[in-house]
Amino acid sequence: HRVALSKEESMVAWLALLHHCASCRLSAAECQLKADCLMGKQLLTHMRSCKAHATCTYPCCKQTMQLVQHYGACKVRCLADRW
């Protein structure tokens, strides 16, 4: 069973999953993260060609783009210290 995470912990975990998905070459059946890895790979594939991030209705696209943009531009590095 899963432990409830704080908002920041949840964001760090999401970024960590996406980082894994970006480099994982295993199938969903072979990867230890199974369906989570597959979903992350599908999201990343979508995001590479999405032109409507601000209004996109693809699951998690808009929120993930906002998080990735914040992470890349953050001067405080609020999430990087927890990575």
Side-chain angles (χ1 to χ4, degrees), residues 2 6-8 10 18 24 31-33 35 37 40 43 46 54 56 62 64 66 73-74 76 78 81:
R2 297 180 182 216
S6 72
K7 184 176 180 180
E8 287 181 354
S10 180
L18 293 178
C24 181
C31 179
Q32 64 183 2
L33 299 179
C37 184
L43 174 61
H46 163 79
C56 186
K62 178 180 174 182
T64 300
Q66 290 171 340
C74 184
V76 179
C78 55
D81 294 339

Side-chain angles (χ1 to χ4, degrees), residues 68-79:
V68 168
Q69 287 174 341
H70 171 83
Y71 179 77
C74 184
K75 302 297 184 226
V76 179
R77 305 307 293 169
C78 55
L79 298 175

